[in-house]
Amino acid sequence: MMKVFKIVSLLALVFSVQVQAQKIIKHKIKSGESIYGLALKYDLTEKEIYAVNPKTKGALLQLGQVVNIPNKKYKEKSKPSKKTLLASKVSDKDNGKKETLVENKFIKHTVTAKETLYSIAKKYGVTMEVLCEMNPELKTSNLKKGAVLKIPNQEIVKEQSNQQSVENEEKVVVKDTFSNELIHTVAPKETLFRISKQYGVSVEDIKKWNPEIDKELPIGYALKIKKTTVQGNENTSEDSVVTEDIPAGNLSKAEFLIEKAFRFLGTRYRRGGDTGAGFDCSGLMFHTFKNINMFLPRSSHEMANIGVKIDKAHAQKGDLIFFATFGGRRVSHVGMITEVLDDEIKFIHSATNSGVIVSSTKEPYYVRTFVQINRVISQ
């Protein structure tokens, strides 16, 4: 009996599914049935049934007669339009390209014995900072034999850079009708600092000529640049004038010192420490500069009095960068510059909470506490 019940239930379920899949249900008239009764049974109106059975209106229903019943549970599958299908094909094609690009964007490098971050960076033509950004684990542990590093594929980077350059060339500088102005169209990732360097003017000048701009610089914005100033006008603002000679930094020594410092990435912070067992900020600088037989003072405050103070705009690798982390203007923290970008400086230092790491002047904490930059190694 139980088996019979299961079979009947299964057949009922199959019938229900089949019925839902039909747009029109074929109903055979039984004794005593009427259009009104069918409407109640199938939750329809008489008008809906007559619409698909026009000949039954006003006629008597016969036993066995087949009446078409609209199926309210039927859901017609919508066919995608040609436009949707085309967009889907294009999307699939683009996704395929993106996946291939992502796969080819990086090269995997297995670290061998005696290799350093410096030697790997030189081998692939990238900076040590880029290696650390691509491989965050390097910021918390030293380079180990057998470690697999992600290296940016320079061919892909170069190709993207060339494409960006072509786009920028098409829309960078357009001459204005005014005799003493030209218009610079802002390209992606451009900053006021970068544009000011391109035309030999100050950021303040650009803001003065374009008072409507605020902190953000919209892509495609048309900036006014005074042509007379670009050509060497005597009225150039004082901010863009260097009043004394700046000693050129020794970049080969700087690269050497950066490589030495990067060996200690991830080393813990240790107050008063100046060895691989742990460093405080001045201890890391003291230990690093000993490699070129340069013995710096043992505190960051004293180091701030060594060398020549350099404006941020003239910072180079190897320069010391100082901060007042205890408030006021008294120097209490030091690092060494490892990379200089358009409006950002990266530096290696020993931080109280993180040990030896690479940080940026764009981080809010270092924006607030920055004091000065000193050039201590020169040509």
Side-chain angles (χ1 to χ4, degrees), residues 139-355:
K139 295 183 180 180
T140 55
S141 63
N142 293 326
L143 190 65
K144 296 178 182 178
K145 179 184 176 182
V148 179
L149 302 181
K150 286 167 65 177
I151 313 289
N153 187 336
Q154 290 304 296
E155 291 183 6
I156 297 293
V157 173
K158 187 176 180 181
E159 182 180 339
Q160 291 176 338
S161 178
N162 288 340
Q163 289 176 355
Q164 187 69 56
S165 297
V166 170
E167 291 175 5
N168 291 347
E169 285 175 6
E170 291 176 354
K171 59 180 181 180
V172 172
V173 181
V174 179
K175 288 186 178 180
D176 194 29
T177 53
F178 299 104
S179 59
N180 66 332
E181 289 183 356
L182 56 81
I183 300 299
H184 176 95
T185 305
V186 178
K189 297 185 178 180
E190 276 196 313
T191 62
L192 284 176
F193 179 81
R194 185 174 184 177
I195 296 168
S196 71
K197 291 298 177 185
Q198 180 179 341
Y199 293 105
V201 297
S202 72
V203 171
E204 292 305 317
D205 279 337
I206 296 177
K207 287 182 177 179
K208 182 173 67 178
W209 302 325
N210 303 271
E212 63 278 7
I213 64 172
D214 197 6
K215 293 180 180 179
E216 294 186 7
L217 196 58
I219 296 172
Y221 188 85
L223 276 180
K224 295 176 184 177
I225 307 291
K226 296 288 184 180
K227 197 185 301 183
T228 51
T229 304
V230 174
Q231 294 172 347
N233 185 12
E234 293 178 358
N235 294 325
T236 303
S237 71
E238 291 180 6
D239 291 343
S240 63
V241 177
V242 178
T243 57
E244 58 179 307
D245 291 335
I246 297 174
N250 190 318
L251 292 181
S252 60
K253 283 186 180 180
E255 292 283 4
F256 175 74
L257 291 174
I258 291 168
E259 192 270 336
K260 290 293 184 183
F262 263 72
R263 292 182 179 182
F264 295 106
L265 276 173
T267 300
R268 70 186 184 94
Y269 178 89
R270 184 180 181 185
R271 186 175 179 80
D274 58 9
T275 69
F279 295 101
D280 61 14
C281 63
S282 58
L284 177 63
M285 297 301 103
F286 180 83
H287 183 92
T288 300
F289 278 78
K290 280 199 305 183
N291 288 286
I292 58 172
N293 294 318
M294 188 174 202
F295 295 88
L296 298 176
R298 192 52 189 83
S299 73
S300 58
H301 178 68
E302 292 174 315
M303 286 182 189
N305 297 319
I306 301 298
V308 180
K309 287 185 183 179
I310 302 295
D311 187 85
K312 261 189 179 181
H314 303 291
Q316 288 183 0
K317 292 181 179 180
D319 291 345
L320 295 181
I321 185 167
F322 297 93
F323 303 89
T325 53
F326 296 147
R329 296 290 295 172
R330 181 181 171 83
V331 169
S332 54
H333 190 69
V334 62
M336 178 174 62
I337 294 176
T338 58
E339 188 177 7
V340 179
L341 305 174
D342 290 333
D343 57 348
E344 178 183 16
I345 294 172
K346 293 186 179 181
F347 57 96
I348 188 168
H349 63 127
S350 184
T352 307
N353 296 327
S354 309

Side-chain angles (χ1 to χ4, degrees), residues 28-129:
K28 281 188 179 182
I29 297 297
K30 298 174 185 176
S31 177
E33 285 187 321
S34 64
I35 295 295
Y36 176 75
L38 293 178
L40 292 176
K41 181 177 180 179
Y42 289 102
D43 191 23
L44 297 168
T45 63
E46 292 177 89
K47 187 176 180 181
E48 287 174 319
I49 296 177
Y50 284 132
V52 292
N53 302 274
K55 292 182 179 180
T56 61
K57 195 169 186 178
L60 293 174
L61 297 178
Q62 305 295 322
L63 287 174
Q65 181 180 346
V66 176
V67 176
N68 295 323
I69 306 294
N71 187 355
K72 292 189 74 173
K73 295 181 180 181
Y74 175 77
K75 292 183 179 180
E76 188 173 356
K77 293 181 181 179
S78 58
K79 295 182 180 179
S81 64
K82 289 183 180 180
K83 187 176 181 180
T84 304
L85 289 172
L86 181 60
S88 177
K89 288 180 180 179
V90 171
S91 177
D92 291 342
K93 189 176 180 181
D94 288 343
N95 287 337
K97 285 182 180 179
K98 286 177 183 176
E99 288 173 5
T100 304
L101 185 61
V102 170
E103 289 174 3
N104 295 334
K105 196 172 182 179
F106 301 106
I107 300 168
K108 289 185 178 179
H109 174 86
T110 304
V111 178
T112 59
K114 296 184 180 181
E115 275 194 317
T116 65
L117 276 179
Y118 181 77
S119 63
I120 296 170
K122 288 295 181 185
K123 179 178 180 180
Y124 291 101
V126 297
T127 65
M128 290 183 284
E129 287 81 1

